[in-house]
Amino acid sequence: MTFDTDLKGAQAHLAKLLDEAAAAVAFTGAGISTECGIPDFRSPGGLWTQNKPIPFDVFRAHKAARNEAWRRKFAMEEAFAAARPGRGHMALSRLLERGRLAGVITQNIDGLHQASGLPDAALVELHGNGTYATCLDCGTRYELSWVKARFDAAGGVAPDCPACGGPVKAATISFGQAMPETEMARAEALTRGCDLFIVIGSSLVVFPAAAFPLKAKKAGARLVILNREPTEFDDLADLVVRTEIGDVLAPFALQA
Ligand code: NAD
Ligand code: ZN
């Protein structure tokens, strides 16, 4: 394992690994979006320290939990709506454009990879997408503006699905909710087919998502972990970089 906190050294090492790779895959977490004004979960002061997430079964079973989930969601909405892609997002999008990256697997739900120009075909959203909602029973899609109008009009009560009466939930995967099958299969294929796997801004504690770096390493890929704080998998990595994601990746948006 090479441990690099020196910016130039880390960039050179990462560039070399990318040069040597036939198929590189990036795996992103909340850390790539913090410079865009969206707090992560587990940094000091992150969302986790303020509110423990509401598990899926609790959301489904209790109206009060749904009201609280939507209250939190709308409280965060301004930050999400104002966020623009950061230096990390831009670098990945450019690397993909230049054929240097096979794809991006993300745990994020903020839509910033798409906003950076990354095509849907190259992006796997493991934890869904928070920019719209669906009915948990019949699958009907509802826009956030639709939910918000009814939530506000009812004084903070979450609307149920007009079509079937089911609970309406943001289209993200909550703790305890089944993982999306197609996305899991696509992530699996990208992971098995890569020879370089680059973790960017993830504490690697949320499973099953965090199993992908392990799978990649076991299948013979080189593993890079770019994260401000240590992770459980650092010992397995070929390169660990503990510094700002945007600072490290910025030049990769420019290089040929
Ligand atoms: P996490 O909060 O558990 O970990 C983020 C990691 O990124 C931390 O270890 C932190 O040290 C590091 N980090 C933060 N900013 C950084 C920076 N600028 N440079 C370098 N490192 C930085 O996030 P996770 O592992 O993605 O797991 C959290 C879960 O919460 C995921 O499932 C994700 O879907 C969800 N989530 C998503 C968003 C989003 O969409 N932007 C935000 C919060 C949480
Ligand atoms: Zn319904």
Side-chain angles (χ1 to χ4, degrees):
M1 192 256 281
T2 305
F3 181 77
D4 227 323
T5 44
D6 156 62
L7 189 59
K8 288 273 179 285
Q11 286 164 338
H13 199 150
L14 183 55
K16 181 169 178 288
L17 291 175
L18 276 166
D19 281 346
E20 290 170 359
V25 165
F27 176 90
T28 64
I32 197 173
S33 298
T34 53
E35 74 169 18
C36 313
I38 299 178
D40 63 8
F41 267 180
R42 290 177 187 80
S43 283
L47 296 176
W48 190 271
T49 57
Q50 297 162 29
N51 282 313
K52 285 261 182 281
I54 297 167
F56 181 67
D57 55 344
V58 177
F59 181 96
R60 195 182 236 302
H62 303 285
K63 184 83 176 173
R66 296 199 284 282
N67 297 344
E68 173 60 11
W70 280 108
R71 185 193 67 73
R72 290 183 194 175
K73 167 92 180 143
F74 291 133
M76 286 298 301
E77 202 40 39
E78 215 170 301
F80 274 78
R84 295 290 166 268
R87 293 170 294 171
H89 300 101
M90 294 317 297
L92 296 183
S93 172
R94 292 285 132 73
L95 283 168
L96 190 109
E97 222 170 65
R98 298 199 304 266
R100 311 287 307 276
L101 210 57
V104 177
I105 303 169
T106 191
Q107 303 172 83
N108 294 343
I109 50 122
D110 55 29
L112 290 177
H113 284 299
Q114 291 93 328
S116 74
L118 198 82
D120 286 344
L123 179 66
V124 180
E125 287 183 306
L126 280 180
H127 292 161
N129 186 298
T131 60
Y132 64 97
T134 54
C135 167
L136 289 178
D137 288 344
C138 74
T140 302
R141 173 179 168 137
Y142 295 100
E143 301 312 315
L144 296 185
S145 55
W146 181 93
V147 181
K148 177 116 176 48
R150 278 148 192 83
F151 182 85
D152 287 347
V157 177
D160 294 325
C161 172
C164 79
V168 174
K169 183 178 173 297
T172 51
I173 306 297
S174 296
F175 286 95
Q177 188 170 1
M179 293 293 283
E181 278 175 31
T182 311
E183 282 73 8
M184 283 297 278
R186 290 178 62 214
E188 197 80 44
L190 273 173
T191 301
R192 302 253 176 240
C194 79
D195 57 1
L196 177 63
F197 194 95
I198 310 168
V199 174
I200 303 170
S202 175
S203 58
L204 299 179
V205 297
V206 179
F207 283 84
F212 286 106
L214 278 180
K215 282 183 191 168
K217 185 67 193 164
K218 280 189 184 148
R222 285 167 158 175
L223 177 63
V224 176
I225 298 180
L226 168 49
N227 202 61
R228 209 154 48 193
E229 289 166 284
T231 78
E232 290 289 328
F233 299 165
D234 287 358
D235 288 346
L236 286 177
D238 297 275
L239 171 64
V240 174
V241 184
R242 281 190 203 145
T243 182
E244 286 299 303
I245 291 163
D247 291 348
V248 175
L249 294 183
F252 292 89
L254 309 168
Q255 284 162 11

